[in-house]
Amino acid sequence: MSLAPQFQHRNLPQHVADHIVLLIAAGELLPGERVFEKDICERLKVSRIPVREAFQLLQAQGVIKGEPNRGSFVTDFGSEQIAEMMEVRIVVERIAGRHLVKRINADPTLVDKLRGAMDALHRAIRNNDRLGYCQADLAFHSTIIELADSPILQPLWESLSRGILVFLMQERGLEESYDRSIADHERLIEDRAGGQRCDR
């Protein structure tokens, strides 16, 4: 697991935050475990400033929590927190789905972008890559939000997406068959193309 070798400086804290989330999702950082700035700096070969900004971003999104005089720790999501996060996710996606249906009615070619997002899901299955599948799953739903073209929904989704990736990895077992998940995604595309509401 590695970050892209080249960064745009203004996006560096975002890249660092993404990498920390990948470490959590892959189980290299466990719930309740302390995250050390120095370790992240050394791993990614970046200065402390973008790492501190990444920590602040992840704290605001609830992925890690800061404790005075103790440091930063991976959030150990309880069942109530997870349920609340998923409830908010469903509301955001339903609204995005309604926007997207209207946009697809005006421009049917938008459906092709959703179908294109399926390629990464199939590729992850072929490679038996569980993390890659969860990332592709999140990217598929992120595409729905992006295509909805809502300045209100986009920042809401971004505030949820890192926590959702961690949840997806925890939820999806190693032995799980992905057939039903793929069928759900394909049905979602057909529903949007057919003008139905996004209630999944």
Side-chain angles (χ1 to χ4, degrees):
M1 182 191 313
S2 63
L3 286 171
Q6 300 294 327
F7 297 119
Q8 295 180 11
H9 182 71
R10 65 184 178 87
N11 289 326
L12 187 52
Q14 294 279 356
H15 283 291
V16 173
D18 286 341
H19 191 85
I20 293 170
V21 169
L22 287 179
L23 294 175
I24 297 169
E28 294 189 38
L29 288 172
L30 300 175
E33 183 175 346
R34 185 174 178 182
V35 189
F36 293 92
E37 283 186 10
K38 182 179 179 182
D39 290 348
I40 301 298
C41 290
E42 291 176 352
R43 179 188 285 262
L44 302 182
K45 296 179 173 55
V46 295
S47 69
R48 284 184 178 267
I49 293 175
V51 173
R52 286 173 182 164
E53 291 180 13
F55 275 34
Q56 292 171 356
L57 180 61
L58 292 175
Q59 287 174 15
Q61 295 176 349
V63 177
I64 64 176
K65 59 180 181 179
E67 297 187 7
N69 303 318
R70 292 195 63 218
S72 297
F73 299 82
V74 178
T75 299
D76 188 358
F77 289 111
S79 57
E80 290 185 8
Q81 291 172 302
I82 290 173
E84 188 176 72
M85 177 174 65
M86 299 313 290
E87 185 177 356
V88 174
R89 172 194 176 176
I90 289 170
V91 171
V92 170
E93 287 201 61
R94 283 179 175 173
I95 297 171
R98 292 198 292 269
H99 287 306
L100 182 53
V101 165
K102 293 176 182 177
R103 297 200 67 216
I104 288 174
N105 286 339
D107 181 5
T109 64
L110 293 178
V111 175
D112 295 336
K113 294 187 177 181
L114 287 178
R115 293 196 174 104
M118 291 290 295
D119 293 342
L121 290 165
H122 289 291
R123 186 164 54 251
I125 292 174
R126 288 195 300 270
N127 295 334
N128 194 28
D129 180 358
R130 186 165 65 108
L131 176 58
Y133 189 90
C134 290
Q135 289 177 283
D137 189 343
L138 185 63
F140 176 91
H141 292 276
S142 295
T143 300
I144 291 176
I145 305 298
E146 178 186 345
L147 293 177
D149 195 28
S150 168
I152 295 174
L153 297 179
Q154 188 68 43
L156 286 173
W157 177 258
E158 289 174 0
S159 71
L160 294 170
S161 60
R162 291 186 172 104
I164 290 171
L165 177 60
V166 173
F167 169 74
L168 288 174
M169 280 295 289
Q170 292 173 347
E171 177 193 52
R172 189 156 281 136
L174 284 168
E175 303 301 324
E176 180 178 345
S177 168
Y178 294 103
D179 290 346
R180 188 173 72 174
S181 177
I182 287 291
D184 286 345
H185 286 83
E186 289 176 342
R187 186 164 56 250
L188 189 105
I189 292 174
E190 295 308 315
D191 286 351
R192 301 293 72 71
Q196 298 181 34
R197 293 195 317 149
C198 183
D199 287 336
R200 292 182 179 79

